[in-house]
Amino acid sequence: MYLALYRKFRPNTFDEVVGQEHIIRTLKNQIEMGQIGHAYLFCGSRGTGKTSVAKIFAKAVNCQNPQNGSPCNNCEVCRNLNNSNNIDIIEIDAASNNRVDEIRDIRDKVKYPPIYGKYKVYIIDEVHMLTDSAFNALLKTLEEPPAHIIFILATTEPQKLPATILSRVLRFDFKLIGQKTLEEHIKNVFTKAGVGYEDDAISAIAKAGNGSVRDALSIADMCSSFSRGNIKYIDVINVLGTSTQEKILSINEALLSSDVLKFMQEFSEEVNSGKNAITLFQDLTRGLRNMLVLKTAGVNKELVDLPQNEQQKLYEVANKFSVQRINKCFVEFSQTLGELKYAIDPQLLIETACLKLAEKIEEKKEEPLTEHKIWGQVLIELSKSNIIVHSALVNITNIKMEDQNFVINIDNSSVCEMVKKPENYNDLVACFRKVGYNYNVLIINNQEDEEDKAKLISKKLGLDVNITN
């Protein structure tokens, strides 16, 4: 019988647990120091190791020869406890055993000592599903159980537990597993299982796992079967039923270009081919986010988890549009995502939102970049750093852009000399940089010919910005 990867590679010792070092260290120390509690609460998202850690802990507290706080899995007690039929580690699913009668049954049986080791351990999964009366029946036993009993409660929704329960347990919060940690774990599993893979495929699987080891390994299992043991990036895309990055980029480019017809056609094609409309919209939103990152930070594998060649394509398209335009689409999409959970027809809501967005972009064309627009931004910054120079230049309108040069013509000799003072000139150049422009700033005196003097000042200052007269 085939055993799923997440079951086959379930951790048997604390050292094999992925990404929960803060919890593992505490539990190991308790075992080694003999400070074992009577009741624990393990809470966190699905697939983060709550039940696995509970089972390992249950064996470790009973192990005859613990290794660095972990069960040895070789002694007689460990072998007996590894048997699924043992009655010293009792797993209870509170979702289907949530009535007061089941809890009363536990209360009646806790008086019986363990058979193999020192402790009998009750693991109650999804404990938040217990009824109020069941919680009340558990209270006294949970607070003062017999010396040979340990309770481990596991839940994905700790906020649903009564305060009276929370005050009687040691709480451990399991965190989601980081992308890189999850990738390394999947690679180790594939290596042990003899499955070939591409690194980009591993990244896509880990990303789809959303921090859950179990979910990631379940996806990995499907991909392995789909590709017959040699997983490629495109295989993962096909298994997940998501759109290719090329298609997502094409749809987003159509939206940013206000090409409504192309957007509607390509979006409908993807949905009609079997893609989930909400999943596709999430991918489009994530694509806009990646565009913003690449536009501002450049190609960066750490910030945008995509293959290098796809990052480069995304970067090239992002550079066709302004940050403001991409951000506007991203904000609108993010707001629409929040409304989708209440939508009767998600595709209709998505298409309507995109049509409105395209209309807004079309109505508000971006203003062309002019020297007066730049100069206005510079003057605002200058007023914050050098009010004297700002006052002297505020009425000057004789300015122009020539390639990489920003030319400022000044008719007043005294004003020109004052602006050319190193401290004032440096303030002026700094203001250009603050508003995002890297022009060479050229100050020209219209009344006097002081070319030699200006060159001398520039040379003394060692500026990379030219000053000519």
Side-chain angles (χ1 to χ4, degrees):
M1 178 180 176
Y2 178 74
L3 201 61
L5 290 177
Y6 79 86
R7 293 181 61 195
K8 184 177 181 180
F9 293 96
R10 183 189 290 272
N12 287 312
T13 66
F14 284 132
D15 293 336
E16 294 175 0
V17 176
V18 179
Q20 307 296 345
E21 291 80 7
H22 62 299
I23 293 173
I24 300 307
R25 179 176 178 178
T26 305
L27 294 178
K28 278 184 174 183
N29 289 343
Q30 286 192 342
I31 293 170
E32 291 175 348
M33 297 168 66
Q35 298 177 350
I36 299 168
H38 67 277
Y40 295 82
L41 173 63
F42 291 173
C43 47
S45 300
R46 68 183 190 277
T48 52
K50 299 185 297 298
T51 306
S52 295
V53 171
K55 291 179 177 179
I56 295 170
F57 184 73
K59 287 190 296 180
V61 296
N62 286 300
C63 180
Q64 294 174 326
N65 184 29
Q67 304 293 316
N68 191 27
S70 289
C72 68
N73 289 310
N74 293 317
C75 67
E76 183 180 358
V77 172
C78 284
R79 289 197 300 270
N80 287 325
L81 293 180
N82 280 329
N83 189 330
S84 59
N85 295 324
N86 84 84
I87 58 173
D88 282 356
I89 300 178
I90 303 100
E91 290 187 63
I92 300 170
D93 178 21
S96 54
N97 298 279
N98 60 357
R99 298 176 304 169
V100 67
D101 292 340
E102 279 90 358
I103 301 303
R104 284 175 178 164
D105 185 54
I106 294 174
R107 191 177 61 187
D108 293 337
K109 291 179 178 179
V110 294
K111 59 185 177 183
Y112 300 114
I115 295 175
Y116 304 113
K118 294 184 295 184
Y119 296 98
K120 180 179 285 188
V121 183
Y122 283 87
I123 301 172
I124 306 179
D125 202 11
E126 299 302 334
V127 69
H128 64 274
M129 299 291 286
L130 292 179
T131 62
D132 291 341
S133 55
F135 274 126
N136 290 333
L138 182 62
L139 279 178
K140 190 62 177 177
T141 305
L142 192 65
E143 184 174 27
E144 296 178 359
H148 59 267
I149 294 294
I150 296 175
F151 284 101
I152 301 178
L153 314 180
T155 179
T156 54
E157 300 184 58
Q159 73 278 4
K160 292 186 177 180
L161 270 63
T164 49
I165 295 291
L166 294 174
S167 65
R168 288 168 166 80
V169 298
L170 296 176
R171 174 171 172 167
F172 291 87
D173 289 277
F174 285 67
K175 62 184 180 181
L176 292 171
I177 312 303
Q179 174 82 9
K180 296 301 178 185
T181 304
L182 207 48
E183 287 179 15
E184 289 302 317
H185 182 62
I186 296 169
K187 287 179 181 179
N188 290 336
V189 168
F190 278 162
T191 300
K192 292 176 182 177
V195 177
Y197 58 83
E198 292 180 349
D199 286 342
D200 292 335
I202 297 295
S203 296
I205 292 171
K207 189 175 185 180
N210 287 322
S212 167
V213 176
R214 184 169 63 238
D215 287 1
L217 290 182
S218 294
I219 295 169
D221 226 339
M222 291 189 292
C223 293
S224 177
S225 299
F226 179 85
S227 60
R228 291 182 174 270
N230 189 18
I231 303 175
K232 300 184 183 302
Y233 177 73
I234 190 62
D235 296 333
V236 180
I237 296 299
N238 289 330
V239 167
L240 294 175
T242 57
S243 301
T244 63
Q245 289 299 319
E246 182 179 4
K247 178 59 69 174
I248 291 169
L249 180 59
S250 178
I251 296 174
N252 273 337
E253 186 176 8
L255 176 70
L256 291 166
S257 303
S258 295
D259 190 340
V260 178
L261 178 60
K262 182 180 179 183
F263 172 85
M264 295 292 288
Q265 286 177 336
E266 295 196 357
F267 188 90
S268 297
E269 285 173 5
E270 289 297 284
V271 174
N272 292 336
S273 69
K275 304 294 189 299
N276 181 279
I278 296 178
T279 301
L280 175 57
F281 193 66
Q282 289 173 336
D283 290 339
L284 292 173
T285 306
R286 190 176 293 110
L288 291 170
R289 175 266 179 194
N290 290 339
M291 278 189 174
L292 281 173
V293 173
L294 294 176
K295 180 78 174 175
T296 54
V299 176
N300 190 316
K301 179 65 176 174
E302 296 299 319
L303 298 178
V304 178
D305 190 29
L306 288 174
Q308 191 74 20
N309 62 324
E310 293 189 358
Q311 273 205 47
Q312 189 61 42
K313 292 177 184 176
L314 195 62
Y315 179 66
E316 291 171 0
V317 172
N319 280 333
K320 296 179 182 179
F321 308 98
S322 68
V323 172
Q324 290 79 9
R325 176 171 290 202
I326 301 173
N327 185 61
K328 185 178 185 63
C329 292
F330 175 70
V331 171
E332 290 281 348
F333 273 29
S334 298
Q335 292 174 348
T336 303
L337 274 176
E339 300 171 5
L340 285 177
K341 66 174 87 172
Y342 308 109
I344 298 175
D345 187 343
Q347 184 176 350
L348 180 61
L349 177 62
I350 291 168
E351 290 178 347
T352 302
C354 294
L355 286 171
K356 288 180 179 178
L357 186 57
E359 183 181 9
K360 288 179 183 177
I361 293 175
E362 190 66 32
E363 285 177 355
K364 189 177 179 181
K365 295 289 186 180
E366 293 181 6
E367 297 179 9
L369 190 63
T370 65
E371 59 265 29
H372 291 287
K373 184 177 180 179
I374 295 172
W375 187 235
Q377 295 174 4
V378 170
L379 287 176
I380 291 173
E381 286 298 324
L382 193 59
S383 67
K384 301 174 185 177
S385 60
N386 195 323
I387 191 65
I388 296 176
V389 176
H390 170 265
S391 300
L393 296 178
V394 70
N395 293 319
I396 291 178
T397 56
N398 192 8
I399 51 178
K400 61 181 177 179
M401 291 187 297
E402 296 177 348
D403 296 326
Q404 292 301 309
N405 299 323
F406 194 94
V407 183
I408 304 171
N409 290 280
I410 302 177
D411 294 328
N412 187 305
S413 298
S414 60
V415 170
C416 188
E417 286 300 316
M418 186 262 289
V419 174
K420 286 181 181 179
K421 286 183 179 180
E423 62 273 20
N424 293 332
Y425 178 74
N426 288 337
D427 280 348
L428 178 61
V429 173
C431 290
F432 273 88
R433 303 295 180 262
K434 283 182 180 179
V435 294
Y437 302 111
N438 292 314
Y439 291 107
N440 296 322
V441 181
L442 308 181
I443 301 173
I444 296 179
N445 188 334
N446 290 339
Q447 290 189 350
E448 299 178 8
D449 181 13
E450 295 184 335
E451 180 177 355
D452 292 337
K453 185 177 179 182
K455 286 181 178 179
L456 180 62
I457 293 174
S458 178
K459 186 175 180 181
K460 285 181 178 180
L461 293 175
L463 299 171
D464 58 348
V465 184
N466 299 319
I467 306 176
T468 61
N469 286 281

